[in-house]
Amino acid sequence: MRAPVYLDNHATTRVDPRVVDAMVPCFVDLFGNPGSTSHRFGHAAKRAVDESRARIAAVIGASDREIVFTSGATESNNLAIRGVAERSRAADRHLISIATEHKSVLDPLRRLARKGCSITILPVARGDDRTGRIEPERIAESIGNETRLVSVMLANNEIGTIQPIREIGRICRERGVLLHCDATQAVGKLAVRVDELDVDLMSFTAHKIYGPKGVGALYVRRAEGRVRLEPQIDGGGQEGGLRSGTLNVPGIVGFAKAIDLCEEERAHEAPRLAALRDTLYDRLVREIPGVSLNGPPLDQADRRLAGNLSCSFAGVDGEALMIAMGDLAVSSGSACTSANPEPSHVLRALGLDDDLVRASLRFGIGRFNTLEEIDFAARTIRDAVIRLRGLRDSS
Ligand SMILES: Cc1ncc(COP(=O)(O)O)c(C=O)c1O
């Protein structure tokens, strides 16, 4: 085993060498602009994009024309939310979401609120339920005549909660409201098929699934009535006018290879990740006093992502813990997922107080992690927690 050990696979993943191999020809041979329709360099690049689009669409149960390539899930979320709001009549500008969404959903909603839209952000904590799951009935109760869009993520990036999207989709469809789903942490890890979910818009990205950074997609439903969006980037009219800009051909080819590999390997990879995750958790609770689990129980495979673990270590500062762990890469409860490291809004939304939020770590176990690395992680965390608690008690 080689240190440092990477257990931060929700933040990003190492690009799979098979994905790199698929991308390399796009830099040297297929370098044409897919928008150049007048020569064979452009045609070859367009063919590569078309094939990749078809693969990605097939994996999520969409048609080719329903995939819009973007620079990543942040852009996809912005396009979906702002795109719908800006296309709605002023009287129909009520949007609903939940407190544990990614900032790239919550911040566009906040901006829309400042511009006069009516926004409802639903809490997820109920009593001592700290799973982070939203009850579909809460969504149903919040929908009014003026509601245009509901945005609920499929799987949470901090606590792994899988939301009841099927039920939420059914409610939205019945009430004539659009549903956007941020499936960034779910695509490639769970069976996600838009033809089986009543989802109208869905965001996902390549770099969470062993593909390259800087490329993502928004699924925009066309079947049974096309969803209309206001473009957020204007220019050459690429992607049906919804997202102008020269397509990232190597990124798109890598994205398709990455999603294909996840799909092929998912059946045996998910239980392998869950077993590694359970081993880590068992070691932590057995060897360290005062460890608590955040998010859904680990034995509920349909409610929690296989590779996700979030724990609080009472009385320890997560940042100090991360520094003390040196060769182990994880995220803390005041994670710098954005430019400003502040206590995680997700853990706060579960009802954790700020001390416990700061005493939390998120582990993201992925394709390249081994049992030996999990053993290293358990020992490193135990030694660091004991050392920090010793320092605190002696001060
Ligand atoms: C749930 C979720 N949504 C959106 C994003 C943003 O994705 P990207 O980095 O592709 O913009 C992330 C990544 O951190 C995420 O975990």
Side-chain angles (χ1 to χ4, degrees):
M1 192 206 77
R2 263 195 324 195
V5 166
Y6 187 75
L7 288 187
D8 200 13
N9 285 282
H10 298 311
T12 194
T13 54
R14 179 180 148 202
V15 182
D16 191 299
R18 294 168 290 180
V19 171
V20 177
D21 287 347
M23 291 173 69
V24 168
C26 304
F27 293 102
V28 285
D29 301 324
L30 296 173
F31 63 86
N33 186 331
S36 302
T37 51
S38 56
H39 53 68
R40 65 180 65 184
F41 294 91
H43 297 164
K46 181 167 183 313
R47 210 171 310 120
V49 168
D50 288 349
E51 284 168 14
S52 301
R53 192 189 300 279
R55 281 306 307 145
I56 293 169
V59 170
I60 65 157
S63 73
D64 306 11
R65 292 168 67 231
E66 294 175 315
I67 302 294
V68 175
F69 286 118
T70 64
S71 63
T74 297
E75 188 190 328
S76 300
N77 287 340
N78 274 266
L79 175 57
I81 291 167
R82 296 156 79 144
V84 165
E86 289 171 18
R87 268 284 171 132
S88 307
R89 291 182 310 146
D92 284 342
R93 288 191 177 164
H94 177 226
L95 295 88
I96 300 170
S97 191
I98 64 171
T100 50
E101 290 292 316
H102 192 262
K103 294 265 189 201
S104 57
V105 166
L106 293 174
D107 284 354
L109 288 171
R110 288 191 188 111
R111 189 180 292 276
L112 288 169
R114 290 196 293 276
K115 290 185 172 169
C117 290
S118 162
I119 307 294
T120 301
I121 306 292
L122 295 169
V124 292
R126 272 160 297 118
D128 53 6
D129 180 337
R130 295 201 168 168
T131 62
R133 191 172 192 270
I134 183 78
E135 290 300 325
E137 302 82 68
R138 299 283 90 77
I139 304 273
E141 288 161 10
S142 310
I143 294 177
N145 291 338
E146 66 292 355
T147 309
R148 183 78 184 116
L149 181 79
V150 169
S151 180
V152 175
M153 68 198 330
L154 220 162
N156 187 271
N157 47 303
E158 291 192 39
I159 51 173
T161 310
I162 298 172
Q163 299 293 357
I165 285 298
R166 190 178 298 274
E167 290 86 339
I168 294 171
R170 218 171 286 141
I171 291 167
C172 290
R173 192 54 60 88
E174 272 167 28
R175 306 284 293 273
V177 172
L178 295 175
L179 175 61
H180 165 246
C181 180
D182 176 359
T184 301
Q185 296 286 348
V187 164
K189 297 167 194 161
L190 307 171
V192 180
R193 294 198 52 100
V194 291
D195 50 355
E196 294 169 7
L197 303 168
D198 288 321
V199 165
D200 301 292
L201 297 153
M202 188 173 86
S203 307
F204 52 115
T205 193
H207 76 100
K208 310 285 187 185
I209 56 170
Y210 315 97
K213 292 168 186 57
V215 61
L218 180 67
Y219 156 76
V220 183
R221 183 174 53 72
R222 278 176 173 260
E224 302 162 56
R226 179 174 171 188
V227 178
R228 302 271 168 195
L229 296 176
E230 191 66 19
Q232 302 296 307
I233 299 179
D234 292 317
Q238 289 88 344
E239 300 299 89
L242 279 180
R243 203 284 187 176
S244 288
T246 300
L247 289 171
N248 173 358
V249 181
I252 289 167
V253 168
F255 192 3
K257 182 69 183 174
I259 204 169
D260 253 348
L261 290 172
C262 286
E263 189 64 7
E264 277 167 28
E265 298 175 3
R266 187 160 45 79
H268 65 259
E269 182 64 352
R272 190 188 76 87
L273 294 181
L276 290 178
R277 188 261 323 264
D278 294 352
T279 302
L280 178 58
Y281 181 66
D282 288 346
R283 290 275 305 271
L284 296 180
V285 284
R286 229 174 332 112
E287 298 176 20
I288 310 172
V291 176
S292 51
L293 176 71
N294 303 315
L298 301 187
D299 58 0
Q300 297 187 355
D302 57 339
R303 296 208 171 185
R304 184 168 193 140
L305 280 180
N308 172 271
L309 181 64
S310 168
C311 292
S312 301
F313 300 83
V316 176
D317 179 65
E319 290 291 323
L321 187 52
M322 288 214 302
I323 294 165
M325 292 188 312
D327 271 346
L328 183 62
V330 300
S331 277
S332 83
S334 44
C336 8
T337 49
S338 59
N340 33 339
E342 50 186 41
S344 151
H345 69 283
V346 174
L347 296 179
R348 276 179 161 174
L350 296 188
L352 269 66
D353 64 38
D354 277 2
D355 282 346
L356 211 49
V357 170
R358 283 203 190 85
S360 302
L361 294 181
R362 173 190 72 177
F363 306 93
I365 302 167
R367 180 177 292 167
F368 301 106
N369 292 127
T370 61
L371 188 56
E372 207 185 354
E373 290 180 332
I374 295 298
D375 175 59
F376 172 83
R379 276 186 286 117
T380 306
I381 299 162
R382 180 198 58 203
D383 294 350
V385 171
I386 290 171
R387 200 162 356 114
L388 287 175
R389 282 186 180 153
L391 283 176
R392 182 199 58 190
D393 295 342
S394 64
S395 65

